[in-house]
Amino acid sequence: MTIGARVLKTGLAVALAVYLSNLLEFPSPIIAAVASIFTIQPSISRSWQQIVDQLQTNVLGAIVALAAVRLFGQTPIAVGLVCIIVILISIRLRMENTIGLTLVTVVAVMEANQKGWLFAVERFLMVLTGMGAAFAVNILVIPPRPRKLFTVQVQEAYTQLSLLLRMAISNEMREDVHRKEKEKLQGTLRKLDEAYLLFEEERSLLPQRRQARARQLILSKHLIKALHQGVDLLEVVEEHYFSAAGAEAWAQRFDRQIEELTKYHEQILLKIEGKMKPSAAIEPEEEREARLINQLTDYMRDDPDEHKRLVFVASAMLEYAYHLRRLERVSDQVQQRAD
């Protein structure tokens, strides 16, 4: 088992929150520690947005809590009603992710207000201390790098996809291994989608950086699309190829075409990473695709109902090839602009 960066930073944020609570002589470090746990986020941009949202809802929650104590007193029913009101306000403001910490603030302020306003303010300062500790740790200790994470996961997803596609037609992989590898690929793609969202949330202050970032976002979107198209091809092969009449006669041609596409996909990724010569010709021959289409057209004329399954497989291959070519063109344009 490995300890991830976010796990490590959560522990450090709690430790810093407890240390600052003792340094500021708060009566208990628990509130600050809880606040630090809620504030840790997987990206700098999201962490900052979380701080802004938390400040707004926590100030609002503290004000509502103080007003409620003055009007209704500090009773269990009053605490519950105030929590409901704060939840509804947070949802109305579209800040649902701040509800947990805001409720901590509400309960802490209402519990302390019976001892005086200074105690209530002190409880609120504990929350702010925990939030500040988490934000500092998130920036200073192993700062999130969404773009680097995205690149690593693209390569990981391609490796898993390539293995499954290259053995799709031959069907030589054991079923239990195939199932596990496919589940791993689906998990990697989910992580990749999350990494893209984090990458998309990054903000740049300089206009030049904003333009470069916009180009990288477009390239990233095409990288994801190409991977999903490869998965679609895998699904079509599993659903239609083995049920098609006379599929064995087409096995070598389909297997060769898929092998060529996966190689093309790999070369595009190497080209994006700057590991191939700019002049290298990596695009598959379109003549071979045209021959395959003509052969399938003749094949389908014999018995359209029985033979259309292989046409579905061929269509998925052509779609995969189309998106790979688009990916290569976009990557070339991004690299030319960067130069």
Side-chain angles (χ1 to χ4, degrees), residues 39-315:
T39 308
I40 285 289
Q41 295 294 317
S43 73
I44 300 287
S45 177
R46 191 174 290 184
S47 184
W48 174 250
Q49 188 60 48
Q50 180 79 349
I51 289 286
V52 173
D53 293 346
Q54 291 282 16
L55 280 174
Q56 294 179 38
T57 54
N58 275 269
V59 169
L60 183 61
I63 293 172
V64 173
L66 290 171
V69 171
R70 296 294 298 270
L71 293 174
F72 309 113
Q74 198 269 334
T75 64
I77 294 178
V79 174
L81 287 173
V82 171
C83 287
I84 292 173
I85 293 171
V86 169
I87 291 173
L88 293 175
I89 292 174
S90 298
I91 294 174
R92 183 69 176 176
L93 296 174
R94 297 182 180 179
M95 296 180 181
E96 294 89 343
N97 59 330
T98 66
I99 289 174
L101 183 55
T102 304
L103 294 182
V104 171
T105 302
V106 168
V107 174
V109 169
M110 292 188 73
E111 181 272 334
N113 194 56
Q114 61 183 344
K115 300 178 183 178
W117 282 80
L118 289 177
F119 282 91
V121 172
E122 185 180 58
R123 293 295 188 274
F124 184 65
L125 290 176
M126 291 179 185
V127 174
L128 294 181
T129 300
M131 291 166 58
F135 187 64
V137 168
N138 210 28
I139 291 178
L140 300 175
V141 180
I142 318 177
R145 295 286 185 265
R147 182 175 172 182
K148 182 179 180 181
L149 176 64
F150 180 83
T151 303
V152 170
Q153 290 176 338
V154 164
Q155 186 59 51
E156 183 180 350
Y158 165 75
T159 302
Q160 295 164 346
L161 173 64
S162 174
L163 173 65
L164 292 170
L165 281 177
R166 283 187 165 112
M167 305 193 74
I169 299 296
S170 62
N171 198 27
E172 295 173 342
M173 187 179 290
R174 281 171 31 196
E175 291 185 6
D176 58 329
V177 177
H178 181 275
R179 185 174 60 255
K180 290 179 181 177
E181 290 296 326
K182 194 171 180 181
E183 288 173 356
K184 283 169 59 178
L185 173 59
Q186 291 169 344
T188 305
L189 287 175
R190 284 194 295 270
K191 292 179 182 177
L192 190 59
D193 291 334
E194 294 171 2
Y196 175 79
L197 290 176
L198 294 177
F199 183 28
E200 193 176 32
E201 290 173 357
E202 284 188 320
R203 296 290 180 267
S204 301
L205 298 178
L206 298 176
Q208 297 86 348
R209 294 290 299 276
R210 284 200 295 268
Q211 293 173 1
R213 180 182 162 277
R215 289 193 292 269
Q216 286 297 328
L217 278 174
I218 294 172
L219 176 59
S220 300
K221 190 174 293 186
H222 283 283
L223 283 165
I224 293 176
K225 181 63 178 178
L227 288 167
H228 280 289
Q229 207 63 51
V231 174
D232 289 345
L233 171 58
L234 183 65
E235 297 285 355
V236 171
V237 170
E238 293 175 358
E239 183 176 355
H240 294 291
Y241 176 78
F242 298 104
S243 301
E248 298 82 7
W250 294 84
Q252 188 174 2
R253 280 171 284 187
F254 278 18
D255 193 54
R256 189 188 306 118
Q257 190 68 25
I258 291 176
E259 175 73 27
E260 191 169 298
L261 290 175
T262 54
K263 181 181 178 182
Y264 181 37
H265 198 162
E266 179 183 29
Q267 290 174 326
I268 293 173
L269 296 180
L270 291 173
K271 192 174 181 181
I272 292 173
E273 294 175 8
K275 295 180 180 180
M276 291 193 68
K277 296 178 180 178
S279 58
I282 61 177
E283 184 178 347
E285 295 181 11
E286 294 190 15
E287 292 181 4
R288 181 179 295 174
E289 293 178 4
R291 286 197 301 271
L292 181 62
I293 293 171
N294 292 331
Q295 292 167 355
L296 280 169
T297 302
D298 295 336
Y299 169 78
M300 191 174 177
R301 286 198 190 100
D302 297 338
D303 191 343
D305 292 334
E306 289 293 328
H307 295 169
K308 62 184 177 182
R309 285 181 176 270
L310 289 185
V311 176
F312 294 156
V313 178
S315 297

